[in-house]
Structure formats: C-alpha cells, structure tokens
C-alpha cells in the first residue's frame, strides 16, 4: 500500500511538478511585487499580529474559515441593530402623525381667532400710528420750546435789574442771541408769523439785557478800584459783550472817562495839598506844594506824579483793551453790522489805540491843573537858567508821554504848550538882560579882560549847556535844537562886546575881543553840539590873532628902526631888479651914513629888550600861550624883513663889483 501510495505520489509529483512550479513562481512573483507600504496590507498584518496566530498548515487552512465566520457574525449584529432602529422609527412616525394632527387643530383655532380679532388689531394699529405721530409732535414741541422759548426765571435773570450780572446772565444772553439768530430759519417758511413774533420778542429781550448790562457797568465803574491788580473778570466780560452795542459801549466809556477824570483830578489835588476836594486829610501823602519849594522840583514832582499815574492807569486798563482786544473788536464789528444807522467810525477797532485815548481822556483834568500851576511857576521867576531847566524838564516828559500815549494826547499838547511858554519866558528874560546891559555900557575894562556881563552870561550859558547836555534829545537834532539858546543867551552879549570894542583903538580892540572869544570858547568847548559856534569863534579868533600878529610885527619894525629901510627898499623887492637900479640904493636918504648910523643905534638899543617889550605889548592878552605864539610869529616875520634888507644890500655890493669889473675891462 505504501508502495502504491509512493508510486502514486511520484506520478502525481511528476505530473504536477510543472504546474506547481508555475504556481509557485507566480506566487513568489506576486509576493515580491506586493508593496508592504500599502496601508491595507499594513492593517492586515497588524490584525494578524493581534490574533497571535501560529504560521503552520493548519492555521493557514483555517484562516479563511475563521475570517468568514467573523464577517458573518458582524453582519448579524448589524442586522439586529437595524431592527431596533426600525422599531424606533415606527414609534417616531406615530409621534409625528400625532403632532401634525395637533398642529392642524391649532392652525384652525388660530385662523378662527384671527378672523375674530382682525377689527381690534386694525384699530390698535391705527392707535399706535397716532401715538407715534403725537410723540413725534411732542418731541418737536419740546425741542422747539427748549430752543426758542425762554423761561420766566431765565427772563428775570436777563432783564431784571435787581438780579446780579453773573455767569447765569451771560449764559441766558448767549441763548437769547442764538434764538434771535435761529429765528431767521423760521422766516424761511411760508407762515412767517411765528418767526416774526419770536424775533420781535428776542429783540426786546436783548435790548433790555444790554440796557441792564450798561447800567450795571456804570454802577461798577463808580466803585472800580484800578489800583487793585485783580480787576473783576465779570466786568471785563461785560465790556466785551457790551461792545456788540457800539453806542452803549461808547457811552459807557465816556461815562468811565468822566468818572476817572474826576477821580484822578481829585488824586492830583490831594498829592499837591495833602487833602482831597472834600477837605479830607491824607496823612500818608507828602504834599508837593509844602515840600517842593524849588520851582524845578515842584514842576518835576507834579510831572513825575502824572507819569506814574498814567503808567498805572494804562497797566490797569490793558486787561480791558489789549488782552481782550480781539474779542472786543469782533463784538464792535458785529454791533456795527447790526446798527448800520449809527454814526460810529468805520475804522477797525485798535485795542492799544483805544487804550491810549481812554488814558488820555482820564488825564484831561490833571493836564489842565498842571498847565495852570506850571505856567504860574514859570511866570513867577526871572532866573533864565531855572526857566530853561524847567523847559528841559517839560521837554523830557513831553517825549516820555509821546511814547506812552502818542502825539495826540491832551497831556502831550499841554506839555508842548508849556515847553513853548517856558522857552518864551526864557527868551524874554534874556532880552531884558541884554537891554539892561546895553543901557549900562560905558566901555571895556581897563585891563581889557572879559567884561563882567559876559562872564555872567557865560556862566549862565555853561549852566544851560550842562542842562541841555543831560537832556534826552536825539543826537541828530541836538545842534539845531540848541541854536536858539545860543542866539538868545550868547550871541547878543558877544555883539555887545564888539560894540564896546568900537570905542578903543588897536591893538587894545583886538586884545579885548580875543580875550572875550577865548573865554567864550573855553565855556563851549566841552560840548559836541556847539561845533558850529566853536567854528565861528575860531574864525573870529583867527582874524583878531592875525591882526595882533601884524601889529606886533609893526611894533618890531618901528621900534627897531628897520621900518625906514624896508620902506626905502620896497621898490627893489623884485629879485630880478636890474643892477643899474640896485646901484641907486646907496643914494637913498635912508642909506646915508647919518641915517644908517641912527638906524644902527636904534637897532642895538632894541635887540636886548625886544622880548620884554613884545611881552609888555601883549600883557593884557588873557592867554600867555597865544601871546608867545603871536610874538614868535611876529619875530619870524621881523627876521625875514631883516634878511631881506641884508640880501638887498648884498645885491648892491655884487652890482658894484660887476660895475667895477666892467670898467677895468
């Protein structure tokens, strides 16, 4: 059996060997071509690993059966679960049918209720529409009343005089102005009645408000203390608002200026006398009239008080017109637009200019009082130096007030008039002095020195120039401005000296005038604004010094006896004089032996004492230096004359020698 089986197996193996060989080859090829990176293959391998199956023939044969069994079991479980789902779906279907039935019943009830309640709903809708319209109208009415209607309390704040002017007043006023502006919108509708009524009412309210503000400002101005550095902000705001009514604003400024004018005039009177116009003593003030006995100090104290007051007044009012100037200008322009019929100047509002004008008006009363007292102080004194110092002081303050208040202020005009009055009084005093001196002129002093009246005049002139030098006058106009003082205080006295000199003969005349000119030049030379006068004096002095030099020279010529020789040789002064003419010189009377002997003796007597005689000749000259210079110049001219005589005589000798040589030939 075994042999049979083995034979069978051999045949079977030999017959199936090619088939198995092919199958195996295909299997190997399939295995080798399979991708183990495939996810399905990976999952299968993981499943096999999870089952922990042994790789043997039995397991391989049972693997497919086991897998099929598991598949069948899974499918059975799924069918069972779907059975449960089917049962639940049946129950849901019955529930939905019941709900559909209930909904249908409810729909029928709703339709029936809607049919019954339709009239009520329509009426309710109409009422809601009416309610919405009424609410809209109410909102419009509330908004209109809130914007265009002023309450009684607000109207009382705005127009009642007993109510204070405060922030509430300005808030209500701003609202009423806005109402008046917005009324123009209402006038654009067909029915303009409401707009006209509201505009008329708001106009009346605004006018009453501005009248209340105007009267309140007037009351505040009565008690306003400008010395208080913190002026009420309400007053400043009130002025800015009142500027929108230019007429009331200007009237208010006029009232303020008038009130301040009285206050400052009373303060000036108190500063002068120590008591006010009500005879109330102010022990804190030193009266100017009691302590300033000197007229210059009296005038200076009054002007200093006025300047201090003007500065304080300006600083106090700057908060009104400078810091708030732009807002005030806008208000005034708005007022001009609203009052085209008013006669207000159309020039743009300038805060600084308005400030200067107001301060100027405030000081008008003080200016009148100053003018009266200063004119009295000027008339009561006849000292020209004092009068001129007062004029200089007034001129200084005039320039100061010009910078502070401008050229058109009343105080500046007053000071200009006082300046002219003081200078007129000064010129009048100087004229009286000149007339008095001319009436007493007898002749120059015996010593030919500067006369007493010129010394006095020069002392006055020195005081005048010193006062003028200390004055704040522009450098370019100092010389021209001082010329009238020279003409009044110096020129007439110098002319008087020239008139005196007409009565004496040279050289005393030239010495006297030279002394006068030297003294005058010494007085004026320290100052640079009298260069024209110094040049004129130098020219005059040069003329008289030349005359003195000529006279000194003539003194040398006559005293030395050289004059006769020079006169005789005058026709032969030309160096080209022919020899024949030169030979006639010895025959002249002056060159005769007796005459030459006398001339020689005179010259010998002159030379030892020539310098002393020359000094004696100019002993009255006030400057020893000038006397020495004049003498030196005259001596040089005398030496030149002597050399001329010597040269002419030498020429005569040469002419004789030439003549002798010709005869010998």
């Amino acid at each position: 059996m075994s042999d049979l089986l083995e034979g069978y197996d051999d045949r079977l193996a030999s017959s199936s060997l090619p088939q198995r060989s092919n199958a195996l080859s295909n299997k190997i090829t399939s295995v080798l071509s399979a991708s183990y990176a495939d996810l399905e293959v990976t999952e299968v391998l993981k499943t096999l690993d999870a089952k922990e199956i042994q790789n043997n023939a039995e397991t391989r044969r049972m693997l497919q059966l086991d897998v099929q069994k598991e598949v069948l079991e899974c499918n059975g479980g799924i069918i069972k679960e779907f059975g449960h789902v089917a049962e639940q779906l049946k129950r849901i279907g019955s529930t939905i049918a019941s709900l559909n039935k209930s909904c249908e019943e409810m729909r029928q009830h709703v339709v029936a209720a809607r049919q019954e309640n339709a009239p009520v709903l329509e009426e309710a809708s109409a009422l809601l529409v009416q309610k919405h319209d009424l609410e809209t109208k109410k909102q419009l009415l509330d908004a209109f009343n809130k914007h265009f209607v002023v309450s009684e309390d607000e109207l009382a704040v705005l127009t009642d005089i007993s109510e204070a002017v405060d922030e509430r007043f300005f808030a209500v006023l701003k609202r009423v102005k806005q109402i008046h502006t917005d009324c123009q919108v209402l006038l654009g509708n067909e029915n303009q009645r409401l707009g006209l009524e509201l505009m008329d009412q708001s106009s009346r309210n605004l006018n009453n408000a501005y009248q209340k503000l105007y009267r309140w400002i007037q009351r505040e101005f009565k008690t306003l203390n400008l010395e208080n550095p913190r002026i009420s902000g309400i007053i400043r705001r009130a002025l800015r608002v009142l500027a929108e009514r230019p007429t009331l604003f200007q009237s208010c400024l006029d009232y303020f200026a008038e009130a301040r004018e009285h206050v400052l005039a009373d303060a000036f009177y108190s500063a002068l006398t120590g008591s006010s116009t009500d005879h109330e003593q102010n022990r804190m003030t030193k009266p100017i009239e009691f302590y300033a006995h000197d007229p210059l100090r009296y005038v200076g104290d009054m002007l200093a008080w006025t300047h201090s007051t003007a500065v304080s007044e300006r600083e106090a009012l700057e908060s009104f017109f400078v810091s708030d100037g732009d807002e005030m200008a806008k208000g005034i322009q708005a007022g001009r637009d609203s009052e085209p019929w008013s006669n207000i100047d159309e020039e743009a509002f300038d805060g600084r200019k308005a400030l200067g004008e107001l301060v100027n008006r405030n000081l008008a009363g003080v200016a009148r009082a100053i003018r009266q007292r200063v004119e009295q102080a000027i008339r009561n004194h006849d000292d020209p130096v004092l009068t001129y110092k007062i004029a200089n002081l007034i001129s200084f303050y005039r320039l100061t007030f010009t910078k502070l208040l401008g050229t058109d202020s009343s105080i500046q005009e007053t000071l200009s008039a006082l300046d002219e009055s003081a200078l007129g009084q000064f010129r009048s005093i100087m004229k009286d002095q000149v007339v008095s001196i001319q009436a007493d002129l007898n002749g120059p002093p015996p010593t030919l020195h500067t006369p007493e009246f010129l010394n006095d005049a020069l002392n006055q002139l020195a005081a005048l120039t010193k006062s003028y030098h200390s004055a704040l006058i522009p450098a370019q106009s100092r010389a021209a401005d001082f010329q009238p003082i020279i003409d009044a205080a110096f020129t007439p006295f110098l002319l008087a000296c020239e008139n005196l000199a007409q009565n004496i003969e040279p050289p005393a005349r030239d010495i006297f005038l030279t002394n006068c000119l030297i003294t005058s030049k010494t007085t004026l030379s320290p100052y640079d604004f009298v260069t024209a006068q110094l040049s004129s004096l130098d020219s005059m002095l040069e003329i008289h010094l030349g005359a003195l030099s000529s006279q000194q020279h003539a003194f040398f010529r006559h005293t030395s006896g050289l004059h006769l020789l020079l006169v005789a040789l005058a026709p032969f002064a030309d160096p080209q004089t022919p020899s024949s003419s030169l030979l006639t010189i010895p025959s002249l009377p002056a060159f005769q032996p007796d005459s030459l002997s006398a001339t020689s003796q005179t010259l010998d007597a002159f030379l030892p004492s020539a310098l002393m005689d020359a000094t004696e000749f100019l002993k009255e000259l006030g400057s020893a230096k000038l006397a020495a210079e004049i003498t030196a110049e005259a001596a040089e001219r005398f030496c030149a004359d002597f050399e001329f005589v010597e040269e002419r005589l030498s020429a005569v000798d040469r002419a004789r020698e030439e003549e002798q040589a010709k005869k010998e030939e």
Side-chain angles (χ1 to χ4, degrees), residues 100 547 551 571 581:
N100 288 334
Q551 293 162 14
S581 299

Side-chain angles (χ1 to χ4, degrees), residues 226-227 256 260 264 308-318 355 358-359 362-363:
L226 291 182
E227 284 72 21
F256 175 73
R260 290 300 300 171
L264 294 181
S308 175
T309 302
V311 172
S312 301
E313 196 81 1
R314 184 181 180 87
E315 290 177 352
L317 296 177
E318 276 184 349
L355 172 63
L358 184 59
V359 175
N362 295 350
L363 293 173

Side-chain angles (χ1 to χ4, degrees), residues 303-304 306-311 314 359 363 392-407 409 411-412 415-416 471-474:
L303 295 177
T306 306
H307 178 259
S308 175
T309 302
V311 172
R314 184 181 180 87
V359 175
L363 293 173
N392 263 351
L393 181 64
I394 295 172
S395 178
F396 164 75
Y397 277 101
R398 178 173 58 83
L399 295 175
T400 303
F401 278 104
T402 300
K403 296 177 182 178
L404 181 65
L405 302 177
T407 57
S409 62
I411 189 68
Q412 199 273 344
L415 293 179
S416 297
L472 298 178
I473 300 175

Side-chain angles (χ1 to χ4, degrees), residues 560-561 565 594-606:
S560 64
L565 301 179
D594 295 338
S595 179
L596 287 176
S597 177
T599 302
S600 177
Q601 293 177 0
T602 303
L603 181 61
D604 292 339
F606 164 75

Side-chain angles (χ1 to χ4, degrees), residues 294-297 299 303 374-396 415 417-430 432-433 460 463-464 467-468 485 488-489:
D294 178 29
L296 184 63
R297 180 183 174 185
V299 175
L303 295 177
V374 173
E375 285 182 346
Q376 183 178 2
I378 293 172
R379 289 194 301 266
N380 290 342
H381 296 84
D382 56 358
D383 183 358
V385 176
L386 177 61
T387 304
Y388 182 72
K389 287 182 178 180
I390 292 176
N392 263 351
L393 181 64
I394 295 172
S395 178
F396 164 75
L415 293 179
L418 290 175
D419 191 13
E420 289 295 329
S421 176
L423 290 177
Q425 179 71 5
F426 167 75
R427 288 190 291 268
S428 177
I429 295 173
M430 296 309 302
D432 292 341
Q433 286 188 1
Q460 290 181 356
L464 295 175
S467 175
Y468 185 81
I485 307 304

Side-chain angles (χ1 to χ4, degrees), residues 449-465:
H449 290 170
T450 306
E452 188 66 26
F453 72 85
L454 182 60
N455 287 328
D456 294 340
L458 291 176
N459 290 334
Q460 290 181 356
L461 184 62
L464 295 175
T465 51

